Structure formats: C-alpha cells, structure tokens
C-alpha cells in the first residue's frame, strides 16, 4: 500500500513505542574508505566484498563492458499512462479486476457492481502471485494455477461519484462495503498458454474466490484461546475471511501461504482507547476510527461489539489451491503481526524455515522453523506441519552477526510477570514479545526471501522516513530513509548444498542502498549502475534459476517523478548489485508479485492500484490502464511478460 493512501490517523508511523536507539557509527566513513579501494560503491561491498570481486569489477569497468549477466536492453525511467517493457519483450494482460473467475460470473459492469458478482470475479488490488503447474507436481510452464492475493480496496477508483480522496472509503454504502469485502481475499484461476498467449480457463475446475467472508479455521497454539473467542464463535477456532493479503509464499507440500498485513485498518470503536485491550490495539495500529465503513455495517469489525475479532487477523493463512472445497487455515504458530509475505527454504535435516517481515516502521524480521521434517513421500504427514515449531525474531549486531531469538513462552522475559501466560499469549502479542527480546527495529520489512542458488536470504526494507539520526545503526544506516535498502542474511553453509536455515546465528550484509545516486544521500549500487538502473522503495522480489534477484518497487517519492517498476541484478560475481530497469508500471501503480514459470520464459507481475495518484478518481482517473476505454476505470491486473519468439527472461 503506498503511503498516500493511508488515512492520517493510522498512517504507518510505526507503533513500536521504543525502537532501540543505537547511535550508529557513521556508515559514510566506512563507505568512503571502501570506495577508495576502487570497487563497488559503499555499503553493498563494505563488509564482505572479496578482493577478487573488486578486481573483476574494476577490470570490467576498465574494459568498458558491463559485468552484468543480464542481457536485456534496459528501458528508460518514465511516468506515464502506459507501462513499458524492454525491446524484444511483450506483455499481455492475463486477468483483470472484474474478469470472470467462476463459471457463473456476470460480465463486468463497473457502474452496476454487486457483492454477488464480485464474489465470482477477479478481486481488486492484486499483490502476491504464485504459479502451480498442472498437472500437479509437473514442471509444466504452459498450464497451471495462478494464485493471487487481493490486498485492499480503493473506493475512490472502484465506484463512480466518490470524489478523489481516500476518505471516500468511509462514505461507502452498505452495498459498496459488501463489494469491497468481496473484492478482498484471493483468486485461484487455472490458466493456459496457447499460441504464446496466456488466458484463464473459463471452466477451470479448481477456480475459486476467497473473500473477507469465507469461512476459515484457526489452528496452532493460539487456537481456542479466550482472546480468540467472539459471540459468533465460542470455540475461538472459526473465523470469517482473510484481510489485507499482501505478499505470500508457498510450502514444499504444495499449499499457498497468504499474509495478512494491515488488518488493523478495518476495525474501529471507542474500545481502541478505553477497552481492556487498548494497549495491544495500539501496538498493532488499531484506532478508534476505521479506514473503511465496514464497522457501520457488520458488528465483527466494531471493537465495541467484538473486541476479540482483530485478534483473529494478522496471521499467515494456509490454503490448498488444488482443492476448491478446502477450508483455509490460519496458522497461529507463525505469529501475529503485519505479515508482508512468508517464503521458505528446506533445511538439510528436512525441517522447513519460513521467513516473514513485519511491515511497519521500526518493526522486525521473523522466521519460523518447523519442529518436524517435511516428508515428500507422505502428504498426510505435512498437513499440520505449520502448527508445531519455533518462531524467532532477528537481532542484527553491529559487527555483522545475526542472531535469531526464539519467542517461546517461559523463556527470558516472555513470562507471566510480563502478561504472557501461555504460548498463545506470546503469539497473539508477537510484537510486544519481540520488543521485550530487543529485536532490531527495521526500516519496514517487506519481502524476505531465500535465494536458493547462493543460500542467502534477501530482505526488502522499503523505507522509513521517521528514523532519526540517533536511531541509525549499521543495518538501517540512513536517517529519514525515503528510498529503502536491501540486506542479505547469510545462514551457516550459504554457498554450499547444506544451508542451515534453522540456525540461530548467521551473518548479514547490505546488498544495496536505494535512491537516486547523486540526489539521495548514501545511495549505493554497483559502480556501473546506469542512470535508469537506480530504484526506490523495494517491496517484493523473486529469483530466477541463475539466482539473480528481481525486485519490484512501491512508492518512490514523488520528487523522483518515476513510476514503480521491476529491476534485476546479479547477486554474485562482478555484476553484483548492478540493478537494471526491466519494467515500468503505469502512473499510480505499484508492482507486486514477480513470479516466474518453471522455465523462466514468463514472468507474471501484479500491477496494483493503477491510477492511484493524487486527484485521481473513477470519474477522472490519471490512467485508464489497461483497457483505455472511455468510462472504464483503471483495473488492477496480472500481466505476463515474455520474449518475442520465446526464450529465458533476462538471459
Ligand atoms: Fe502490502 Fe507491505 O505492502
Ligand atoms: Ca509496500
Ligand atoms: Ca508489499
């Protein structure tokens, strides 16, 4: 979600009451010393760059050749009504907001929307994208299930006559609110590529819509706890819907994980200030006035009626996309916070580690490690693997060490003396538990994702304009960080075939510091990054088969006058951190969910909130992408980018 869409009172100002104040040694001093060595700029290289890498980078520079392994011709930064791909590539819309998902979906009519129709059509504001080849277990790259998150609703762009500001959300009628609820959640859509074109399979047997009202189960250590009980559910194990599904991930056993992020904004009521859970609400950014009209129409969003309902959100939800009748499960063992995504790596002993960022200024990076190994030959044994394991939070030490601290009831400060009477309490108030363990407050962690080629884990830290100079540390090295940065976490064994993602110690490094070189203080990339290759506000990422990182962005400061985009870079070798611009979105959009097919010949992107720029509305949008038809508002869409004539993307 870009910052300008957030109502003032819940703006993402950070709700961590006491972010650790580390008076960092000024990183620039170290950077300038390293720069003098003649390699990459600054911090990207500061801690670990090998002499060999320095030498090869310098050699390539001297010879005037790019050390990047990426072969596409970089596009130019732009800010326009249309999107752009490199020469030799083409993009197509696979599915858009309002397109049919279920066979009985009516044709999309943006002036006559109903909740019933929306519940059969592709939802709004697509974020996470995953591709599960069909038949199941194959590596097919032309037929599969597309799984997509629908994060939130932009009322002013969805409905006519709402004006051009976000307060329109509060003016949504009962029926409009119901449409918004149906536009949330996920879509599962069977897609196929024929004659080079991707298209949904209209009668796809597995096609499914999940919304803010779909029945779900709650499992794990917090299931059934009193704080999860409501008047509609005395068991504390059944809940309606999933909210603000941002990024996600999947499991080795073929399910998808969807992350509930800014769930706070749907709830409101006086109890936010006066209720017995007011302190907890505050830590999660739940305030008296919801951002949406929903509490007016449904008691479950009204804190004064259902004070425990928000405790049933902020979880990772596991969904089996291959069974449209399956009940989604909220896995409480993975903690409750504003989960951005949830990506995994299998450890040498078969246990599985899941990484997740808590996207708020001054919040933390987590990982969950299953107690038992994943069994590829016994699907039944994996069914509830996510209910049993250990949740850890990260502390980044100034000397480059990374420490993973377990969030286990009874250990250290996580005791009754601090109000934690059980592991359920620790999980329901994960943020407060992590505060007490003195985790490292980060610059808004978005995607945290393992690179399975080099074994390192990459964290996108999107920005944090509230960090003060006295709060700077080596991991978050810039005050008023408007452009964000990318760090690498390095588990023991990284670079070998035995990477220990379950380890409680590791190392970390900075990969790049975003922003426009020469304009934004401290921006650091490879020395040969071009005038088009710099980026701002990294959000989602993925890796191709060669281990190169593809980074999508969300929310470059308006002073940059560039749209969000997709950038690619080598992660190792002489072209490390040499980012190149591959795709640029239409005005107002963020780029989400980069996802390759198994052959790397298609990359799917979620183009979220196109036209969401200042003064833009349904009636007078800043773009009508992708249809460009009179009267048709901009439509969040999944696009597929391929090479003309075929071939591996970026090769
Ligand atoms: Fe929904 Fe953190 O982006
Ligand atoms: Ca974001
Ligand atoms: Ca995001």
């Amino acid at each position: 979600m870009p910052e300008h869409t957030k109502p003032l009172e819940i703006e993402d100002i950070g709700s961590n009451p006491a972010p650790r104040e580390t008076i960092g040694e000024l990183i620039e001093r170290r950077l300038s010393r390293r720069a003098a060595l003649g390699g990459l700029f600054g911090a990207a290289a500061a801690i670990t760059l090998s002499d060999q890498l320095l030498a090869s980078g310098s050699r390539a520079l001297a010879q005037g050749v790019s050390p990047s392994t990426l072969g596409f011709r970089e596009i130019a930064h732009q800010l326009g009504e249309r999107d752009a791909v490199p020469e030799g590539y083409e993009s197509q819309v696979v599915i858009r907001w309002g397109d049919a998902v279920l066979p009985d979906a009516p044709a999309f009519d943006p002036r006559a929307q109903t909740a019933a129709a929306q519940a059969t059509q592709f939802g709004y504001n697509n974020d996470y994208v995953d591709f599960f080849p069909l038949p199941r277990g194959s590596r097919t790259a032309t037929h599969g299930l597309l799984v997509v998150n629908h994060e939130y609703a932009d009322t002013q762009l969805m409905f006519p006559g709402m004006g051009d500001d976000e307060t329109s959300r509060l003016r949504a009628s009962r029926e409009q609110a119901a449409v918004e609820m149906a536009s949330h959640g996920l879509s599962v859509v069977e897609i196929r590529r024929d004659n080079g074109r991707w298209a949904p399979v209209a009668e796809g047997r597995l096609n499914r819509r999940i919304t803010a009202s779909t029945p779900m189960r709650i499992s794990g250590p917090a299931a059934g706890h009193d704080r999860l009980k409501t008047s509609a559910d005395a068991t504390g194990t059944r809940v309606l819907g999933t909210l603000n599904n941002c990024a996600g991930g999947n499991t080795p056993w073929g399910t998808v994980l969807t992350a509930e992020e800014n769930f706070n904004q749907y709830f409101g009521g006086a109890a936010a200030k006066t209720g017995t859970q007011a302190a907890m609400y505050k830590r999660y950014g739940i305030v008296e006035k919801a951002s949406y009209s929903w509490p007016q129409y449904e008691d479950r969003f009204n804190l004064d009626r259902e004070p425990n309902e928000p405790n049933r959100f902020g979880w990772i939800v596991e969904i089996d996309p291959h069974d449209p009748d399956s009940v989604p499960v909220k896995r409480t063992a993975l903690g409750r916070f504003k989960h951005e995504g949830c990506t995994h790596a299998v450890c040498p002993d078969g246990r599985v580690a899941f990484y997740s960022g808590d996207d708020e200024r001054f919040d933390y990076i987590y990982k969950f490690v299953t107690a038992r190994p994943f069994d590829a030959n016994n699907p039944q044994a994996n069914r509830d693997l996510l209910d049993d394991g250990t949740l850890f939070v990260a502390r980044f030490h100034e000397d480059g060490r990374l420490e993973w601290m377990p969030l286990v009831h009874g250990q250290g400060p996580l005791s009754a003396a601090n109000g934690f009477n059980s592991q359920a309490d620790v999980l329901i108030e994960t943020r407060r538990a992590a505060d007490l363990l003195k985790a490292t407050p980060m610059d808004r962690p978005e995607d945290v994702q393992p690179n399975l080629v080099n074994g390192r884990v990459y964290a996108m830290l999107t920005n944090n304009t509230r960090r003060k100079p006295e709060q700077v540390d080596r991991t978050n090295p810039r005050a008023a960080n408007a452009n964000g940065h990318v760090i690498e976490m390095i588990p023991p064994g990284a670079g070998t075939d035995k990477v220990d993602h379950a380890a409680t110690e590791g190392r970390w490094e900075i990969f790049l510091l975003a922003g426009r070189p020469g304009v934004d203080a401290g921006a650091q990339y490879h020395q040969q990054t071009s005038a088009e290759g710099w980026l701002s506000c990294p959000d989602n990422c993925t890796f191709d088969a060669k281990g190169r990182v593809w980074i999508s962005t969300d929310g470059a400061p308006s002073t940059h006058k560039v749209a969000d985009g997709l950038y690619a870079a080598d992660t190792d070798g002489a072209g490390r951190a040499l980012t190149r611009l591959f795709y640029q979105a239409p005005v107002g959009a963020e780029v989400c969910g980069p996802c390759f097919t198994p052959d790397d010949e298609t990359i799917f992107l979620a183009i979220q909130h196109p036209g969401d720029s200042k003064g833009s509305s349904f009636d007078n949008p800043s773009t009508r992408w992708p249809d460009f038809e009179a009267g048709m508002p901009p439509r969040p869409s999944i696009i597929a980018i391929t090479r003309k004539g075929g071939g591996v993307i970026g090769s």
Side-chain angles (χ1 to χ4, degrees):
M1 175 180 287
E3 284 176 50
H4 75 268
T5 68
K6 294 187 176 179
L8 201 56
E9 67 269 31
I10 65 135
E11 191 181 291
D12 192 4
I13 57 173
S15 54
N16 187 341
R20 186 159 55 99
E21 293 195 352
T22 46
I23 302 173
E25 165 189 328
L26 284 179
I27 196 161
E28 281 77 10
R29 199 177 322 132
R30 189 171 60 176
L31 300 187
S32 57
R33 185 173 66 80
R34 292 285 175 166
L37 292 174
L40 312 183
F41 288 119
I47 296 174
T48 60
L49 193 65
S50 71
D51 291 344
Q52 188 184 6
L53 181 52
L54 280 167
S56 60
S58 299
R59 218 168 23 247
L61 186 60
Q63 293 166 357
V65 295
S66 172
S68 173
T69 67
L70 289 152
F72 65 87
R73 181 171 294 186
E74 190 168 40
I75 62 172
H77 278 133
Q78 64 165 43
L79 182 62
E81 292 183 40
R82 294 178 184 270
D83 57 353
V85 298
E87 194 180 303
Y89 287 79
E90 56 193 341
S91 79
Q92 64 156 120
V93 172
V94 181
I95 190 165
R96 304 159 293 188
W97 169 49
D99 283 348
V101 172
L102 301 181
D104 55 346
F108 180 56
D109 181 350
R111 292 176 186 278
Q113 297 179 60
T114 66
Q118 176 65 86
T120 62
Q121 298 164 333
F122 196 68
Y124 204 75
N125 272 346
N126 31 226
D127 198 299
Y128 181 69
V129 180
D130 211 334
F131 178 81
F132 292 82
L134 289 173
R136 187 173 188 172
S138 71
R139 297 281 294 168
T140 322
T142 55
H143 183 204
L145 282 177
L146 192 71
V147 180
V148 179
N149 280 353
H150 300 296
E151 186 180 11
Y152 68 100
D154 269 318
T155 312
Q156 82 280 9
L157 289 166
M158 288 175 71
F159 303 104
M162 301 302 292
D164 63 6
D165 69 279
E166 293 77 32
T167 61
S168 62
R169 287 178 184 156
L170 294 168
R171 299 195 301 275
S173 67
R174 180 182 292 274
E175 180 61 20
Q176 285 171 328
V179 172
E180 290 174 339
M181 290 178 210
S183 78
H184 279 62
L186 293 92
S187 291
V188 180
V189 191
E190 187 178 338
I191 58 170
R192 190 188 290 278
R193 189 180 185 194
D194 286 318
N195 299 320
R197 303 287 297 175
W198 284 100
V201 176
E203 302 292 327
R205 191 175 57 79
L206 304 179
N207 289 6
R208 182 178 191 184
R209 272 305 321 279
I210 289 167
T211 73
S213 307
T214 301
M216 306 198 171
R217 185 163 70 81
I218 301 172
S219 75
H225 190 278
D226 281 350
R227 294 169 80 183
L228 265 56
K229 293 175 181 168
T230 64
S231 23
D233 171 31
T235 71
T237 61
R238 292 191 301 268
V239 59
L240 292 183
T242 182
L243 291 173
N244 213 262
N245 304 78
C246 192
N250 55 40
T251 67
W253 51 94
T255 57
V256 69
L257 302 175
T258 181
E260 297 187 318
E261 194 194 21
N262 296 303
F263 64 94
N264 56 312
Q265 58 186 324
Y266 303 90
F267 300 92
K273 282 191 175 155
T274 57
T276 56
Q277 301 187 78
M280 181 276 289
Y281 293 150
K282 188 173 182 193
R283 185 65 182 88
Y284 283 88
I286 296 165
V287 294
E288 201 168 0
K289 195 167 164 189
S291 305
Y292 288 88
S293 64
W294 302 6
Q296 297 172 44
Y297 309 123
E298 294 203 12
D299 282 352
R300 60 184 171 133
F301 300 110
N302 182 339
L303 298 172
D304 301 326
R305 298 277 170 83
E306 297 294 347
N308 284 340
E309 190 70 32
N311 299 345
R312 294 137 66 84
F313 293 83
W315 305 105
I316 291 294
V317 187
E318 184 175 18
I319 298 168
D320 181 356
H322 297 93
D323 179 0
D325 298 321
S326 61
V327 176
V329 185
K330 300 200 176 190
R331 299 289 184 187
T332 62
L334 280 73
R336 175 171 172 262
F337 46 91
K338 294 187 179 180
H339 287 274
E340 169 71 21
C342 191
T343 59
H344 77 269
V346 180
C347 304
D349 63 5
R351 287 181 295 160
V352 190
F354 293 85
Y355 292 92
S356 199
D358 183 353
D359 182 2
E360 187 102 48
R361 291 176 175 90
F362 302 112
D363 263 293
Y364 310 128
I365 291 175
Y366 297 83
K367 76 173 176 185
F368 173 82
V369 181
T370 59
R372 289 179 289 117
F374 152 64
D375 184 348
N377 299 315
N378 185 1
Q380 286 300 316
N382 305 318
R383 275 183 57 156
D384 292 316
L385 218 47
L386 293 178
D387 283 345
D388 192 8
T390 306
L391 182 65
F392 299 87
V393 67
R395 184 190 286 166
F396 295 86
H397 292 270
E398 296 286 276
D399 62 1
R401 279 186 308 121
L402 168 61
E403 178 185 1
W404 290 103
M405 302 180 293
L407 292 150
V408 176
H409 176 249
Q411 292 189 13
L414 308 184
S415 62
N418 285 311
F420 297 106
N421 294 309
S422 63
Q423 184 64 13
D425 280 334
V426 171
L427 295 168
I428 293 166
E429 292 194 71
T430 301
R431 282 184 164 183
R432 190 167 69 84
D435 295 342
L436 289 168
L437 292 179
K438 300 198 177 348
T440 301
M442 309 298 287
D443 286 349
R444 291 189 56 199
E446 300 249 28
D447 266 2
V448 182
Q449 186 139 337
N451 178 349
L452 299 181
V453 174
N454 68 9
R456 296 179 175 216
V457 183
Y458 291 72
M460 308 293 119
L461 299 163
T462 201
N463 58 51
N464 182 355
T465 50
R466 306 285 169 110
R467 188 175 290 273
K468 299 185 183 118
E470 65 270 25
Q471 294 171 313
V472 161
D473 57 28
R474 283 186 166 175
T475 328
N476 301 278
R478 289 186 289 182
N481 180 8
N483 294 284
H485 56 293
V486 178
I487 62 170
E488 292 172 308
M489 296 180 283
I490 309 161
T496 74
D497 60 359
K498 291 217 175 344
V499 191
D500 188 3
H501 287 277
T504 54
E505 293 249 321
R507 292 186 298 119
W508 65 270
E509 296 171 5
I510 287 179
F511 182 65
L512 63 80
L513 295 166
R516 185 171 189 166
V519 174
D520 297 304
Q524 308 288 342
Y525 303 87
H526 188 286
Q527 196 169 2
Q528 284 173 261
T529 296
S530 79
E532 313 301 339
W534 60 269
L535 60 96
S536 180
C537 301
D539 189 325
N540 301 127
C541 71
T542 193
F543 300 91
D544 61 24
K546 294 177 178 166
R548 300 178 297 197
V549 66
W550 295 71
I551 299 170
S552 63
T553 68
D554 171 22
S558 56
T559 48
H560 284 324
K561 296 191 168 52
V562 296
D564 282 314
L566 181 72
Y567 299 77
D570 291 324
T571 52
D572 292 292
R576 175 178 154 87
L578 202 173
T579 45
R580 295 161 62 96
L581 175 55
F582 180 80
Y583 171 82
Q584 198 118 54
V587 61
E590 72 173 279
V591 182
C592 303
C595 172
F596 284 102
T597 48
D599 59 2
D600 280 357
E601 292 203 11
T602 296
I603 187 166
F604 297 108
L605 299 179
I607 309 307
Q608 187 178 147
H609 55 75
D612 186 12
S613 49
K614 199 166 179 1
S616 182
S617 66
F618 180 104
D619 303 293
N620 187 23
S622 54
T623 178
R624 293 191 186 275
W625 186 92
D627 298 341
F628 294 103
E629 282 174 17
M632 182 62 80
R635 299 169 76 177
S637 305
I638 304 300
I639 63 168
I641 302 178
T642 51
R643 286 178 76 154
K644 290 177 180 167
V648 169
I649 304 280
S651 63

